[in-house]
Amino acid sequence: AKGEWQRIEFTERSTLVEARVREVGGEVWHAYLKAKSGELVAIEGLDRIPFFKKSDSPAIVAPRLTETFIDKVIERAGGRRLTDEEANFRKTPNADYRIGPFILELKDLQKEAIEVRSRQQEIAELLRGEVRSDRSLVIDPASISGDLFRSYAEIISRPIRKRLKSARDQVRATLDHLDDSDLSLRGGAILLNSGYGTMPPGLLYDLAKSYVESSTTLQFVVCISCWSLTDGFDTTVQFSFYPDEKKLQPIAAIRSAFWGSVDSMMSEWARSGFQAEGPG
């Protein structure tokens, strides 16, 4: 290549529709024709610094799920933030919410854990037998099994376990402070995945659940994920909520409130004209 770029990793493969690429034209169309003929093509561009002409529309950026959003979900589900007194005036570690007999702590996975260099090296070493002839490696948890998967899960679940351990300690401290003499209060956790993009929602819940099952403080964990998918032409926003629990009332209430809040948020975003920052 003219820029003397060297390929380091392969991250995604998409099937392009020729008619739509032709409509885009220009550099993209010429690159497509070269790639179609078998040539390796790279298009250089600036990452995360979008520039637009006055006649262009800005890229669509879906609204993020934040702690404020979860506050509204809990309130809609019949819960609330702990009072200052219940939180021991922040003198000791404390949880976030109370809904029915449950004290809940929210933890947000904001970072892409696979971007940690040491973790990348561990995964590369673990899956070295899966490297393809072009030295690229496609990581698909669904295709990993047995002892290999258990080792892989141990690596990628560290940020999850770390946050759940912190949630457990905060819930435990809150329960101790409330001096629940009749033992009616119980604990739980909410994991909001707003940044660990390579973690499939179902796998996130399985890993979180396995940690909670060994805890005497946390009775359940709820996992919420939000991500967007694009092929350069169309963008879709995806949400997930685990578990699909119908018997435990707080989970059912939070799930119903979550989907209702998502509908409201997306409707508000649409009415705002799909502004990049999303609804406030």
Side-chain angles (χ1 to χ4, degrees):
K2 288 191 297 182
E4 297 183 356
W5 295 101
Q6 293 185 1
R7 176 170 148 185
I8 298 176
E9 62 179 343
F10 180 85
T11 58
E12 184 179 356
R13 176 184 287 117
S14 297
T15 300
L16 299 178
V17 179
E18 183 168 316
R20 300 183 69 178
V21 181
R22 186 185 296 109
E23 289 178 6
V24 174
E27 182 183 26
V28 175
W29 173 242
H30 293 302
Y32 174 82
L33 293 176
K34 290 181 180 179
K36 187 177 179 181
S37 68
E39 184 176 344
L40 181 63
V41 183
I43 298 179
E44 301 175 18
L46 295 174
D47 185 24
R48 299 177 183 174
I49 310 180
F51 295 98
F52 305 99
K53 298 178 182 178
K54 289 184 178 180
S55 58
D56 292 339
S57 297
I60 292 180
V61 179
R64 291 174 60 87
L65 298 189
T66 63
E67 185 170 353
T68 300
F69 175 84
I70 300 299
D71 287 351
K72 295 176 181 177
V73 169
I74 295 298
E75 183 177 352
R76 191 168 185 165
R80 58 175 173 78
R81 278 268 179 185
L82 294 182
T83 65
D84 288 342
E85 183 178 357
E86 288 172 327
N88 197 22
F89 300 97
R90 310 301 188 273
K91 295 177 182 178
T92 54
N94 61 274
D96 290 316
Y97 307 110
R98 178 167 182 173
I99 179 169
F102 285 93
I103 301 297
L104 306 179
E105 169 63 15
L106 170 67
K107 291 298 179 184
D108 191 355
L109 295 165
Q110 298 180 342
K111 296 182 179 180
E112 176 51 72
I114 298 300
E115 290 183 354
V116 177
R117 184 62 178 171
S118 59
R119 195 166 289 127
Q120 291 177 347
Q121 292 172 338
E122 285 187 84
I123 293 175
E125 176 63 23
L126 178 69
L127 302 179
R128 62 185 183 278
E130 308 297 319
V131 176
R132 303 187 303 186
S133 58
D134 63 355
R135 300 184 65 188
S136 64
L137 174 63
V138 177
I139 300 176
D140 179 8
S143 66
I144 306 173
S145 60
D147 291 340
L148 197 61
F149 177 79
R150 282 186 284 275
S151 298
Y152 173 74
E154 193 281 328
I155 296 171
I156 64 171
S157 66
R158 287 173 192 161
I160 300 168
R161 296 199 307 272
K162 180 179 179 180
R163 280 159 181 78
L164 286 175
K165 181 179 183 299
S166 176
R168 179 202 65 192
D169 293 345
Q170 289 172 253
V171 169
R172 184 70 264 161
T174 303
L175 292 174
D176 291 343
H177 165 69
L178 293 176
D179 189 22
D180 181 30
S181 57
D182 62 359
L183 301 178
S184 62
L185 290 179
R186 289 172 286 173
I190 301 174
L191 271 182
L192 172 61
N193 184 6
S194 64
Y196 198 167
T198 59
M199 176 62 67
L203 180 58
L204 170 64
Y205 177 68
D206 288 342
L207 295 173
K209 182 183 177 184
S210 68
Y211 177 89
V212 169
E213 285 175 341
S214 63
S215 172
T216 58
T217 298
L218 301 178
Q219 304 300 308
F220 68 82
V221 60
V222 162
C223 294
I224 295 171
S225 299
C226 175
W227 68 101
S228 59
L229 300 173
T230 182
D231 59 4
F233 297 97
D234 298 318
T235 300
T236 61
V237 184
Q238 307 286 328
F239 301 92
S240 77
F241 184 102
Y242 282 87
D244 184 19
E245 173 66 57
K246 296 180 176 62
K247 294 182 180 179
L248 191 58
Q249 196 278 332
I251 297 180
I254 294 171
R255 184 180 66 251
S256 177
F258 170 74
W259 289 115
S261 298
V262 166
D263 287 343
S264 299
M265 179 184 70
M266 297 303 285
S267 296
E268 183 181 346
W269 183 44
R271 286 193 293 269
S272 76
F274 300 105
Q275 294 295 315
E277 67 274 12

